[in-house]
Amino acid sequence: MAIAREAAELLVAHKPATVLTGAGVSVDSGVPDFRSPGGIWEEFEPDEYATAEALAFDPDKSWAFFAALFDLLRTIRPNEAHRAIADLEGLGVVRSVVTQNIDGLHQAAGNRDVIEYHGGPALLCIGCGAAVAGLTPTQLEAARLGTAPRHSCGAVIRPAVVLFGEEIPPEAMRRSLEAVQASHSLLVVGTSAQVWPAAGLPQLAAQQGSPVIEINLEETPISRYAALSIRGRAGEVLPEIVWQVRRMLGR
Ligand code: APR
């Protein structure tokens, strides 16, 4: 694939790269994305389940969504795309991964600097802020059936994911800006770039003169200004890029 060679050339000439990923990188692990046909938002309307207000006013309802998400995350494994991104870090081409996903698959694949831009599945109490180690099977089953789990202080437990209407965790924001600024290219994989401020990171990279390389099944707002925009499956394109990078670096 000539385009994979072009991507590899850009990455080798402009290393290190930061990688920005979205739900598309995990589709081959069996996690549907959000906005494609059959995506998660078709079953769970975001305004009803995934906003700060929805959680505050009807936590039982939000938990039906969280429980479905947790059920999905329990069984999944990294796919070829995650493994290729970890390989690129091993080859010294990738510095950091900024992910909008909460599935932990980049860490499982072996990437060491992973910034969870939209938080993660760790649990905490909304009332007293205590970290909660996990849910009992009874709590999880009740959540599936529409009863939010509660902490011993009586308040509702929530996952530390960023809901619509909530701020990006300041540490994730700071580290991701730092990663983009310290990198010389940005590889964007499997995001529709509809959600801000994550969608601003590729713009920041382009403004500082770092080539943006996009891999997506479809065109996105990033495609217009990307140095290279590749239409394809992340799990097929990324291993080809790794192969080309290895060839160029003689490793
Ligand atoms: N390879 C490459 N791209 C893919 C693949 C694949 N195998 N499968 C799907 N895609 C693309 C889709 O074409 C789409 O453009 O991935 C993109 C996924 O976009 P979204 O579903 O909008 O997911 P994402 O961009 O991660 O959403 C951002 O929005 O809903 C919130 O907080 C949620 O983190 C999420 C954020």
Side-chain angles (χ1 to χ4, degrees):
M1 200 200 267
I3 202 143
R5 195 179 65 235
E6 240 181 281
E9 276 165 5
L10 279 171
L11 289 169
V12 168
H14 300 270
K15 57 183 165 64
T18 286
V19 186
L20 171 66
T21 63
V25 80
S26 294
V27 165
D28 285 349
S29 293
V31 189
D33 69 10
F34 292 97
R35 294 176 180 81
S36 295
I40 290 173
W41 293 149
E42 257 178 28
E43 189 180 351
F44 296 99
E45 163 62 36
D47 283 347
E48 285 179 44
Y49 294 91
T51 64
E53 291 78 14
L55 178 63
F57 291 115
D58 195 349
D60 293 338
K61 191 161 187 180
S62 288
W63 262 100
F65 163 58
F66 298 151
L69 212 54
F70 282 19
D71 283 339
L72 198 63
L73 299 189
R74 242 201 339 260
T75 56
I76 56 174
R77 299 278 174 275
N79 65 53
E80 292 300 318
H82 299 103
R83 281 192 283 276
I85 293 168
D87 286 347
L88 289 174
E89 184 184 298
L91 289 163
V93 167
V94 160
R95 171 197 195 273
S96 307
V97 177
V98 180
T99 186
Q100 298 167 85
N101 305 338
I102 59 146
D103 54 30
L105 292 180
H106 289 299
Q107 297 91 324
N111 280 100
R112 282 165 302 173
D113 190 30
V114 180
I115 303 161
E116 292 184 312
Y117 201 78
H118 288 161
L123 298 168
L124 64 124
C125 171
I126 286 177
C128 66
V132 176
L135 298 182
T136 64
T138 317
Q139 280 176 313
L140 196 55
E141 181 55 17
R144 282 188 202 108
L145 298 172
T147 304
R150 289 184 179 268
H151 187 231
S152 50
C153 77
V156 165
I157 293 170
R158 66 165 289 175
V161 296
V162 177
L163 298 173
F164 288 103
E166 294 184 326
E167 298 287 317
I168 303 305
E171 183 66 4
M173 181 68 111
R174 186 189 64 72
R175 286 176 59 211
S176 54
L177 290 174
E178 194 178 281
V180 171
Q181 281 160 357
S183 298
H184 297 121
S185 52
L186 183 74
L187 179 59
V188 185
V189 187
T191 178
S192 62
Q194 305 280 315
V195 175
W196 289 76
L201 292 172
Q203 288 192 357
L204 176 70
Q207 276 158 15
Q208 73 181 22
S210 299
V212 175
I213 301 154
E214 175 182 57
I215 302 171
N216 200 304
L217 291 177
E218 60 182 15
E219 195 171 310
T220 77
I222 297 169
S223 315
R224 271 181 283 115
Y225 61 88
L228 193 62
S229 188
I230 304 178
R231 296 284 84 80
R233 299 192 77 80
E236 287 170 9
V237 177
L238 281 164
E240 292 218 31
I241 294 176
V242 170
W243 189 84
Q244 294 286 353
V245 167
R246 282 192 197 285
R247 199 179 57 81
M248 284 170 205
L249 297 178
R251 292 167 62 184

